[in-house]
Amino acid sequence: MNYKKYKILYYFIKVLGYIPPHRRKQYGGLLGLMFLSSFLETITVGVIAFFASSVSDPTEVLQSRYIRYVHQYLDEDFLSSPGELIGTLSVLVVVCLIVKHSFVMWQQFWTIRFSGAMEGIFGEKLLNGFLRMPYEWHLTKNSADLIFAIALRKNIASGLLGAILQIIADILVVSFLLVSLLIVQPQVSIIVMVCLGGGAVGIYHVIRNRLDSVASEVLKYRKSLHSLSTKCIQGVKDVKVLGKESYFANDFLSGAFRLARLSGTQNVLGGAPVAVLEIIGFIMLTSSICAMMLFMDYSTASVSGTITLLAVTAWRILPAVNRLLQKFASFRNSLPNIELLFGYFREIELDQNRTIGKSDTDQKEIIKFDKELQLKDIGFAYANGTKVLNSINLSIPMGTTVGIIGTSGAGKSTLVDILTGLLKPSKGSILIDEIEITKHNTDSWMHSIGYVSQSPYISDATLAENIAFGVGHSKIDRANIRECCQMAAIEFLEDLPDDIDTEIGERGVRLSGGQRQRVAIARALYNKPSIMIFDEATSSLDVKNEKAIMETIYGLKGSQTMIIVAHRLTTLEKCDLIVWLEKGEIKMQGDVEQVINAYDQMQRKSA
Ligand code: ADP
């Protein structure tokens, strides 16, 4: 039993299950179009063969049963002379070709359009799925691999659905042509079937295992080249400063050369059936002609008709059989990619089932922060077992500004990720106005947080689009943008050529570190958060810029509840409460003077 073949069938059925019902109907419609175009193809081939035999011996053709049918059912005087016969058939050949080609073009347009739509649907399924996966899952993945997986969506769209459509179309063409050949020339068609069928199956069996192993190797190398280039382009600063350009370039080149050799082998293996079948096809054609002329007593019209039928059939059947074999080979090439994508689909589905559950799909709760945020006995360990937080108890009344300090690795960022709902505590609970954060209200809690990180992401878009991140251009609240710019003290707005509609980011106006932080603060304020979290937001700035940004942050004091994580103690002077975190535990908490003095002393001692 060919296990791989059934795997493709399994994925095909799964894919059909994923696509929306109206797209499944469209797919069925495309199959109908394929059937019709195969039928037109067969008629055209038959008419051309009939035309050829009429040209070689019109008198005999005029007495054939086909013309007798015409006389019987249409008109007795129609097609009664050789001139009329050849003239009518010439027009018929041209009409058939025009109709067939127009139909095939129309059908191809819909097929390509369908494949494009499928690419979009599966690309969205992956992107949306990845974005909805827990943050912890992302911590265990390589971002380049996820981007690469989205780029592989073509393997499902054209590599699986499109290929199956093409396979069905080619099977139909081959069957239609063989059946008509069988009706007209039974002996010859048996030779065709045995030679072509045997040849096709034989060559496919010889190369399939080698194709499989080459396909997995090709995927491995493509993935690693993609990962390598993403890694060094993202880290270009370090690459340049450390002078590692040649190291990465050489690494890329050696991988690319290995991939080139594999791609060559893959191409030869994929193309081998074409060459073998072409040779078999021509042996078949020439030996049939010899057999008919030398050993069988056929008339000239019959021989030339059969030769034309054979030639025209070979002209259509050979490419169809070739395409069939190539599609089977490309299935094997796409299989590792399809398996990779289905691996992600499974992970996404598993997570959706785990977080939503079957019975509580729409139990989404809104959570509001009006009084107090409490952390009760919070503990956390990463997936690799690293225990980071232990018994954290903390209470943050609404409207207060809390500073978090601690040496590097103390667990500050992890605590912030837990507070934002990105990470789920391994033990303990977070309470908002006495209501526990659960899977039903995590989204609502996350949306009420304004978060500013150390290196905020500035996209290639206008200032307004960067502030109203993820809001369509027409839906942006421009008055709110201006208010947020003012609160975030974006004084450079005056210098921008198109005001809030100026393009910023990689291809637009380049912003300084301080300006980026201000954009991030305005972004955090845009959704009117009930709590703002600054995670080392000023750590990468110089002292002057840090001071200016901190003044902006403290300007929000009173109207906002704020949590500020910082490593420079001077930046936390205006906080209401300081929490000192050490080795995953709260070592001390209290007012600024008390905690900062103790922390300062500890640092002096250890220095
Ligand atoms: P801080 O922000 O105080 O410097 P972090 O919260 O970043 O500390 O890290 C606390 C500890 O957790 C460190 O020992 C760090 O190595 C570990 N850690 C951080 N991220 C991960 C992760 N994704 N997987 C495993 N361990 C991690």
Side-chain angles (χ1 to χ4, degrees), residues 303-327:
V303 171
S304 62
T306 309
I307 289 171
T308 320
L309 191 60
L310 259 178
V312 178
T313 308
W315 163 54
R316 301 315 293 169
I317 286 188
L318 270 180
V321 175
N322 280 337
R323 270 199 307 269
L324 268 175
L325 287 179
Q326 269 177 340
K327 286 289 169 210

Side-chain angles (χ1 to χ4, degrees), residues 139 382-384 386 388 406-415 535-536:
L139 292 179
Y382 280 102
N384 64 359
T386 316
V388 181
T407 47
S408 181
K412 303 182 294 293
S413 293
T414 309
L415 182 63
D535 187 5
E536 304 264 12

Side-chain angles (χ1 to χ4, degrees), residues 189-472:
S189 14
I190 288 169
I191 302 176
V192 173
M193 284 183 207
V194 171
C195 294
L196 274 188
V201 172
I203 178 79
Y204 183 65
H205 273 257
V206 170
I207 60 167
R208 63 180 184 183
N209 288 336
R210 182 80 187 106
L211 258 176
D212 286 346
S213 65
V214 172
S216 329
E217 283 277 286
V218 165
L219 173 67
K220 196 179 92 193
Y221 276 91
R222 279 197 201 289
K223 230 166 108 176
S224 78
L225 284 183
H226 179 83
S227 170
L228 180 85
S229 41
T230 316
K231 203 163 59 186
C232 57
I233 298 275
Q234 279 175 353
V236 67
K237 235 182 195 174
D238 296 77
V239 173
K240 290 189 84 61
V241 171
L242 295 168
K244 295 288 178 193
E245 294 92 336
S246 311
Y247 167 78
F248 285 107
N250 290 340
D251 223 15
F252 187 90
L253 206 58
S254 67
F257 284 159
R258 178 91 184 94
L259 180 64
R261 201 159 59 234
L262 285 165
S263 302
T265 314
Q266 192 177 33
N267 209 281
V268 167
L269 289 175
V274 181
V276 174
L277 278 190
E278 206 165 289
I279 295 167
I280 295 178
F282 274 87
I283 294 176
M284 184 193 79
L285 187 66
T286 45
S287 52
S288 311
I289 295 168
C290 292
M292 283 168 76
M293 302 210 46
L294 302 177
F295 308 114
M296 300 174 187
D297 197 15
Y298 280 103
S299 68
T300 334
S302 185
V303 171
S304 62
T306 309
I307 289 171
T308 320
L309 191 60
L310 259 178
V312 178
T313 308
W315 163 54
R316 301 315 293 169
I317 286 188
L318 270 180
V321 175
N322 280 337
R323 270 199 307 269
L324 268 175
L325 287 179
Q326 269 177 340
K327 286 289 169 210
F328 280 122
S330 79
F331 267 160
R332 302 188 95 84
N333 290 334
S334 313
L335 199 58
N337 303 346
I338 294 173
E339 278 177 333
L340 181 92
L341 295 186
F342 270 81
Y344 284 125
F345 288 151
R346 260 193 301 278
E347 281 190 71
I348 292 169
E349 263 167 27
L350 260 174
D351 182 71
Q352 281 169 353
N353 292 342
R354 201 172 36 235
T355 51
I356 297 171
K358 290 237 159 23
S359 57
D360 51 8
T361 332
D362 46 17
Q363 278 187 21
K364 290 269 176 219
E365 287 167 10
I366 303 291
I367 199 157
K368 275 196 76 152
F369 174 39
D370 285 322
K371 294 188 199 92
E372 195 178 30
L373 159 66
Q374 285 172 289
L375 301 185
K376 284 208 164 154
D377 198 27
I378 295 283
F380 182 80
Y382 280 102
N384 64 359
T386 316
K387 278 199 178 144
V388 181
L389 297 177
N390 194 21
S391 298
I392 301 284
N393 287 292
L394 183 63
S395 172
I396 302 173
M398 161 99 173
T400 48
T401 300
V402 179
I404 300 181
I405 54 170
T407 47
S408 181
K412 303 182 294 293
S413 293
T414 309
L415 182 63
V416 163
D417 288 344
I418 286 181
L419 269 169
T420 54
L422 281 172
L423 294 177
K424 202 173 162 299
S426 323
K427 81 175 172 87
S429 50
I430 303 175
L431 303 176
I432 311 296
D433 292 0
E434 314 253 305
I435 295 172
E436 190 177 345
I437 293 191
T438 62
K439 61 182 177 183
H440 303 299
N441 54 26
T442 303
D443 283 354
S444 166
W445 170 238
M446 273 189 186
H447 299 160
S448 66
I449 294 171
Y451 177 76
V452 183
S453 71
Q454 186 174 351
S455 46
Y457 171 69
I458 302 291
S459 71
D460 249 347
T462 64
L463 175 67
E465 283 162 344
N466 261 290
I467 293 176
F469 196 63
V471 176

